[in-house]
Amino acid sequence: MEKTTSYPKWDAPYFTGKKIEKIYCFPWCMEKFHPENTIRFQSRANAEQAGYRPCKKCCSTLPIGAWTDKQSELTLVVPKEFSFNENMKYLSKEPNECLFYCKNQRIYRAIPIKEETPVVEIRSDQDNMLHIRFLGTTMPSCKWMRAEVARYVRDWFDLDTDLLPFYDLAKSDALLQRAVTHFTGLRNIGIPDLFEAICWGIIGQQINLPFAYTLKRRLVEAFGRSIECDGETYWIFPSPHDIAALTMEDLKGLQMTGKKCEYLIGVAQLMVEGKITKEQLANCGDYKKAENMLVKIRGIGPWTANYVLMRCLRMPSAFPIDDVGLHNAIKYLQGTPQKPTKAEILKLSATWTNWEAYATFYLWRFLY
DNA sequence: CTCCAGGATAACC
DNA sequence: GGTTATCATGGA
């Protein structure tokens, strides 16, 4: 078993902005967008000896996300600014969530990767560690598939963002100061699947959150797939392919607006045709370009675009400024009878540059 | 009964 | 370019 590198050792070179020229990852890594000059090494020790640093994007070599592989279990090293309890509270807040569940301080879900669907239990027995255990007979067969699971969990919990600058920023910000005090260690829990993120955004437009979860459940149970594992049923969000072939009639039973049904089918068709992909959005240049690409899609306005960029693409500047929940959170914190105007929010958020997404996520937590 | 929910669109002026 | 009715439903 490979020894896990502790967090502090790898901290410095990554977050100081210092340019690193010699990058390594492992032969089995499937990451498609490595930095240039990335060399593959058989072992971490050899790479380090040669003066190489682990690839920041690579699932198996990240400093913080380093993992050990014990066949039935993966262990991720997480940053200091990670509170399993705080993230658990967020994940547990919605009883009607259908894509995972929480029980005894553990999280359970199926993670679809290519043809396989491993079911995992995620727990944290000790600080700075996250344990991923495969349930039943769902353990992935090959090493890179396990690496994909590790990558998925790291992405889901946003383990690769260094929150220290955000916490520094918050010290001198009236709103954020209270937010980070209350929710220290909370991460921007993501929606890694782009189609799911867009659908969730569209479904959530202009209705209260409990009803949005009900609609999502109906959609998933009608058109998604499920697998059984250890006596539990695990649902997987429908693929674009599943939805693209549907008609308005098929979606009527869900009881959402006809327009939303059109939007969902339209987005599914665009994705089946390859006209929207996560890679395109991630690599299109900057956040504003990605926002423009999304807003052009029928059914996606500024709010949904920023929501998707925030929860799926994890762009730090994504900012759903029209969000009613954000308005209510600010109103609550300021103790004012009226919700803030857009101008007031712009003023309050002027110093949040590159942390708008995290600020929003933290402020939302005051609502529940 | 009315109003508001983690909005977007088409059809107006 | 700004404003407004419309959409489905549930909860306060």
Side-chain angles (χ1 to χ4, degrees):
Chain A
M1 190 181 79
E2 199 171 9
K3 194 169 180 297
T4 307
T5 307
S6 65
Y7 162 63
K9 183 177 174 185
W10 295 101
D11 184 21
Y14 274 87
F15 300 123
T16 54
K18 184 174 147 189
K19 192 175 178 186
I20 299 159
E21 289 169 350
K22 298 164 85 176
I23 306 286
Y24 79 87
C25 76
F26 294 127
W28 55 83
C29 175
M30 297 295 283
E31 170 62 50
K32 290 174 186 165
F33 303 103
H34 279 111
E36 288 180 30
N37 305 324
T38 301
I39 309 288
R40 290 172 188 253
F41 280 88
Q42 283 290 342
S43 79
R44 183 192 302 269
N46 288 348
E48 286 174 19
Q49 209 162 27
Y52 283 74
R53 296 292 182 189
C55 168
K56 188 175 179 181
K57 290 185 169 185
C58 176
C59 49
S60 55
T61 58
L62 258 172
I64 294 168
W67 55 278
T68 58
D69 190 340
K70 293 192 297 180
Q71 292 291 316
S72 67
E73 200 169 293
L74 303 174
T75 300
L76 298 183
V77 179
V78 300
K80 280 176 290 188
E81 297 75 32
F82 175 87
S83 160
F84 186 75
N85 190 37
E86 217 37 77
N87 291 293
M88 195 73 203
K89 276 195 258 175
Y90 169 76
L91 290 168
S92 309
K93 79 184 170 67
E94 182 45 59
N96 206 13
E97 170 63 57
C98 59
L99 297 175
F100 58 85
Y101 71 93
C102 302
K103 192 176 174 184
N104 298 333
Q105 289 296 101
R106 295 172 184 206
I107 305 153
Y108 299 85
R109 84 172 297 168
I111 300 176
I113 296 171
K114 304 233 183 255
E115 307 305 318
E116 294 186 36
T117 313
V119 178
V120 300
E121 172 200 83
I122 302 170
R123 69 175 196 282
S124 178
D125 296 338
Q126 55 207 109
D127 289 345
N128 294 351
M129 292 289 199
L130 214 55
H131 303 286
I132 306 169
R133 185 169 67 87
F134 295 104
L135 303 187
T137 57
T138 66
M139 193 181 73
S141 46
C142 58
K143 193 157 189 172
W144 70 260
M145 187 73 84
R146 287 199 290 277
E148 286 294 308
V149 172
R151 184 220 300 271
Y152 184 97
V153 174
R154 281 220 332 276
D155 187 14
W156 190 21
F157 287 89
D158 194 36
L159 296 180
D160 298 335
T161 298
D162 177 20
L163 287 186
L164 284 177
F166 178 56
Y167 289 171
D168 279 340
L169 164 71
K171 283 175 190 167
S172 53
D173 186 291
L175 295 177
L176 299 186
Q177 194 268 328
R178 290 175 64 187
V180 303
T181 304
H182 275 79
F183 311 118
T184 308
L186 175 70
R187 318 296 294 195
N188 172 3
I189 305 288
I191 305 174
D193 176 44
L194 177 62
F195 182 58
E196 181 191 333
I198 295 178
C199 289
W200 179 231
I202 291 173
I203 288 171
Q205 291 168 2
Q206 190 54 23
I207 56 175
N208 57 51
L209 220 39
F211 183 48
Y213 277 104
T214 299
L215 289 177
K216 180 170 88 163
R217 176 182 289 278
R218 289 176 188 163
L219 181 73
V220 168
E221 294 185 352
F223 306 108
R225 65 191 170 91
S226 67
I227 62 170
E228 302 288 327
C229 187
D230 291 349
E232 292 282 345
T233 302
Y234 294 89
W235 285 96
I236 293 129
F237 198 82
S239 68
H241 196 80
D242 295 328
I243 303 298
L246 300 180
T247 64
M248 292 286 288
E249 292 295 315
D250 297 325
L251 288 173
K252 261 189 179 168
L254 304 181
Q255 292 177 288
M256 58 181 161
T257 66
K259 297 234 181 211
K260 285 186 183 177
C261 299
E262 290 176 24
Y263 301 159
L264 295 187
I265 295 172
V267 168
Q269 289 173 345
L270 284 175
M271 289 194 70
V272 166
E273 294 162 9
K275 291 179 181 169
I276 325 166
T277 66
K278 199 169 172 179
E279 285 73 26
Q280 280 169 28
L281 292 170
N283 299 315
C284 69
D286 63 47
Y287 146 71
K288 275 293 167 192
K289 281 185 191 167
E291 185 188 19
N292 281 330
M293 287 171 68
L294 285 170
V295 167
K296 282 179 191 161
I297 299 165
R298 186 173 150 78
I300 300 181
W303 179 85
T304 309
N306 279 275
Y307 187 85
V308 168
L309 294 178
M310 167 184 169
R311 302 289 309 279
C312 183
L313 277 299
R314 307 197 159 289
M315 296 195 176
S317 303
F319 190 28
I321 192 167
D322 303 311
D323 185 82
V324 177
L326 177 68
H327 302 173
N328 284 331
I330 294 174
K331 174 183 148 188
Y332 164 76
L333 283 175
Q334 294 189 320
T336 49
Q338 305 270 330
K339 284 191 275 192
T341 65
K342 192 165 179 175
E344 285 167 339
I345 299 172
L346 280 171
K347 196 174 173 185
L348 289 167
S349 62
T351 56
W352 300 353
T353 311
N354 288 329
W355 290 104
E356 288 91 343
Y358 253 95
T360 303
F361 199 81
Y362 266 63
L363 291 175
W364 275 341
R365 295 293 293 118
F366 281 111
L367 300 174
Y368 300 97

